[in-house]
Amino acid sequence: MLASHDVIVAGAGPVGLFLACELALAGCTVLVLDKAATPDSPFKRLPFGLRGLTAPSIEALARRGLLDRLAIPQRLKTPFSAAASAAAPRQAGHFAGIPLDRDLVDTARWPYRLPAATPASLVAEMAELETVLAERAQALGVAIRRGCAVAGFVQDADGVTVSAGAGAGGDALRCAWLVGCDGARSAVRKAGGFDFAGTEPQFTGYSASVELVDADLLRPGRVQTPDGMYFQSQPGILALQDADGGAFHDAGRPVTRAHLEAVLRRISGTRVGIASVHLAATWTDRARQATRYRAGRVLLAGDAAHIHAPLGGQGLNLGLGDAMNLGWKLAAAVRGAAPPGLLDSYHAERHPVGARVLDWSRAQVALMRPDPHARALYAIVRDLLATRDGATTIAGRLWGISIQYELGGNHPLVGRSVPAFAFADGTTVDAALRPGRGLLLDFGHDAALPAVADAFHGRLAYLPVHARERLGLCALLVRPDGIVAWAGDGTPDLQALRQAAARWFGT
Ligand SMILES: Cc1cc2nc3c(=O)[nH]c(=O)nc-3n(C[C@H](O)[C@H](O)[C@H](O)COP(=O)(O)OP(=O)(O)OC[C@H]3O[C@@H](n4cnc5c(N)ncnc54)[C@H](O)[C@@H]3O)c2cc1C
């Protein structure tokens, strides 16, 4: 059977859609299959669909011209800043519920974040993000089929046969590569026998929209109690954590009014009432990660590859980062142009980033436990977060600024996101990355550099630039995902540059 598509992506969530965009941008034919008949869900709209985006995701969207298409961050900006009183610290996220004060963060410690950098954090809405990504994917020629669940697959040396859709056995669809972006309960991960290793939950989390009776019995802000945590972010919008070891969520029972009221009363130690429940969902802090992200022609990305507590809002960011990292590499493999090891560098680079996020969420869960030992530790961490060093360290991880892939190389920029260079002609490095090609930025206008880029036949664009701030660099090699692959700060070492270019762009 001939492959009808280069890549089938299972799952039209944000990660699957962004990956499809990246693949199509690089010239692949892509089919996205999603189990749900419609993308609509109240959990994807505000307030439940609110998602914090961090620097790598914001940069990725900006580098593909998608950031400006999101209206929600701009719409929410005013109410959010207006809500903060002059006396209150300017909260820029939290760690285990401890607010992070933006004014304490010492941004001078991040010399590569130039003034033109996109914000390090902003809020988005899942529904809007998915709509923007789906429109972009379709504009690039991606086919999206909804109401069509992937049930399993068989792979051989040349491709993958995917069984999907309703009916007896469903359809058999053939592709060269399959990527599972089908969320936490990924059918691709299960069918592929991927090991999903990790830790069991400490609590059941609840997100609910309710009508409260005697709401003023609840204290404002995030309130930790001996039985868990409650937080009323807006009137009737509740987040609860019940230290039940995840038992209620795992039992799969519906969240009734009576149950939710009992949990809220127990956690808050009050007689607050719930008159009605408009919407409710549960989740846990179970933290698991696929031990490998690739098995032959099948790969995993997003929640399919890793799950953890939503504390501190990292899951979507982690998944978008997977997609940005994988897209151009898989596209090179589709073209048969991938240098040795390129596709496996996806796991090598992204698995450690995922493992750090899982530990980040575990650390928060440990601090939020209601027992006296955890409360004592919480008090110490809270004090540390009120210091400049503490706030800067936490912000660097929370906002994804400290991410650096281990690529070797002798410059501290290698493996990091390219600084937001602004050029004298009014363009930016983000705009130059929009076509999804690698860049050779030449700050010193070296006569030898155009030939280096030419050898890569269109995969690498040579760009002589006059940058307002060039950080002492003479030239920079940037991968299509915006990661610095080589940096020169004197006379360019042409041999090292050619080696780095061959490593990422082939010969
Ligand atoms: C309460 C809460 C708050 C959160 N807040 C944040 C935050 O602030 N910041 C952040 O970064 N992250 C946050 N997250 C996490 C974030 O929502 C997820 O990590 C993100 O949605 C993962 O995207 P995904 O595309 O990998 O998976 P999903 O969004 O789960 O999408 C998977 C898609 O696959 C489809 N699918 C499922 N099975 C199949 C199948 N067999 N075949 C085909 N399709 C299938 C589904 O219908 C779905 O469309 C939060 C999560 C929760 C629960």
Side-chain angles (χ1 to χ4, degrees):
M1 194 195 300
L2 278 178
S4 61
H5 292 87
D6 293 330
V7 184
I8 288 182
V9 175
V15 176
L17 290 170
F18 191 45
L19 177 65
C21 292
E22 286 297 288
L23 291 164
L25 182 66
C28 301
T29 56
V30 187
L31 171 65
V32 180
L33 304 174
D34 198 282
K35 179 161 100 173
T38 157
D40 297 333
S41 158
F43 289 104
K44 293 181 183 175
R45 289 195 294 275
L46 298 177
F48 295 106
L50 189 132
R51 297 288 183 269
L53 295 182
T54 58
S57 307
I58 299 167
E59 287 169 353
L61 294 169
R63 288 169 184 167
R64 298 301 185 248
L66 294 168
L67 189 61
D68 292 344
R69 297 196 204 171
L70 297 177
I72 300 281
Q74 281 130 49
R75 184 151 69 74
L76 287 182
K77 215 165 142 192
T78 317
F80 263 57
S81 45
S85 77
R90 290 177 58 214
Q91 185 174 340
H94 71 91
F95 184 75
I98 307 166
L100 176 68
D101 181 349
R102 187 187 295 271
D103 290 343
L104 274 180
V105 177
D106 183 4
T107 53
R109 295 203 206 157
W110 304 321
Y112 300 124
R113 275 191 73 78
L114 294 175
T118 49
S121 70
L122 54 77
V123 286
E125 186 202 48
M126 278 281 273
E128 187 189 45
L129 181 62
E130 286 189 5
T131 303
V132 164
L133 292 173
E135 282 171 7
R136 154 95 165 167
Q138 280 163 328
L140 288 166
V142 172
I144 302 175
R145 203 183 296 174
R146 300 192 187 270
C148 186
V150 169
F153 65 84
V154 181
Q155 63 169 317
D156 53 52
D158 304 318
V160 187
T161 304
V162 178
S163 38
D171 294 336
L173 302 162
R174 184 79 177 160
C175 56
W177 299 87
L178 169 67
V179 188
C181 300
D182 48 346
R185 298 195 168 109
S186 172
V188 173
R189 186 184 70 227
K190 287 173 189 162
F194 287 85
D195 197 12
F196 202 42
T199 48
E200 288 303 295
Q202 309 262 325
F203 62 76
T204 293
Y206 297 80
S207 300
S209 167
V210 302
E211 197 176 323
L212 288 170
V213 181
D214 295 332
D216 49 1
L217 291 174
L218 296 178
R219 284 159 49 202
R222 234 172 251 271
V223 183
Q224 195 76 42
T225 76
D227 287 299
M229 187 281 301
Y230 70 88
F231 178 41
Q232 188 181 193
S233 57
Q234 301 169 30
I237 305 299
L238 293 174
L240 309 178
Q241 280 171 213
D242 182 11
D244 70 346
F248 182 81
H249 173 87
D250 286 351
R253 291 205 298 271
V255 186
T256 61
R257 187 207 62 79
H259 173 77
L260 201 59
E261 184 179 75
V263 172
L264 178 60
R265 285 182 170 182
R266 181 164 41 79
I267 292 177
S268 66
T270 69
R271 296 301 297 163
V272 66
I274 292 181
S276 57
V277 177
H278 308 307
L279 212 55
T282 62
W283 37 274
T284 73
D285 58 308
R286 180 173 277 110
R288 289 181 178 268
Q289 186 179 23
T291 51
R292 54 189 177 138
Y293 283 10
R294 177 185 173 198
R297 291 179 166 272
V298 181
L299 298 112
L300 301 176
D303 278 14
H306 36 68
I307 55 163
H308 56 85
L311 297 167
Q314 299 280 333
L316 172 61
N317 292 291
L318 196 52
L320 292 176
D322 292 347
M324 190 72 167
N325 188 286
L326 175 59
W328 66 282
K329 295 174 180 175
L330 183 53
V334 165
R335 288 194 305 269
L342 181 71
L343 195 52
D344 285 330
S345 73
Y346 165 60
H347 171 99
E349 292 173 9
R350 293 304 299 173
H351 192 276
V353 176
R356 264 167 74 90
V357 167
L358 261 65
D359 276 347
W360 180 256
S361 77
R362 287 184 186 114
Q364 295 186 72
V365 169
L367 276 185
M368 293 173 102
R369 275 202 304 253
D371 61 85
H373 297 83
R375 302 325 307 141
L377 190 56
Y378 177 95
I380 292 169
V381 174
R382 187 191 54 210
D383 289 350
L384 288 174
L385 227 77
T387 65
R388 212 159 181 69
D389 280 344
T392 307
T393 303
I394 294 291
R397 284 191 63 172
L398 186 65
W399 297 341
I401 291 171
S402 55
I403 291 178
Q404 181 172 24
Y405 299 138
E406 300 247 349
L407 305 186
N410 57 356
H411 193 285
L413 257 179
V414 173
R416 287 186 183 278
S417 177
V418 61
F421 294 111
F423 306 131
D425 62 1
T427 62
T428 62
V429 72
D430 284 356
L433 279 165
R434 216 162 273 187
R437 278 182 308 177
L439 297 178
L440 179 54
L441 298 178
D442 183 359
F443 299 97
H445 296 233
D446 189 302
L449 292 193
V452 175
D454 282 352
F456 293 91
H457 307 290
R459 275 166 281 157
L460 186 56
Y462 169 74
L463 217 60
V465 290
H466 293 283
R468 289 185 201 127
E469 168 58 84
R470 57 192 263 190
L471 299 168
L473 296 161
C474 63
L476 207 59
L477 181 68
V478 186
R479 306 190 321 194
D481 56 355
I483 297 299
V484 174
W486 171 91
D489 52 8
T491 308
D493 175 348
L494 292 182
Q495 199 189 345
L497 170 59
R498 283 196 191 97
Q499 271 172 3
R503 175 179 174 191
W504 299 110
F505 300 102
T507 46

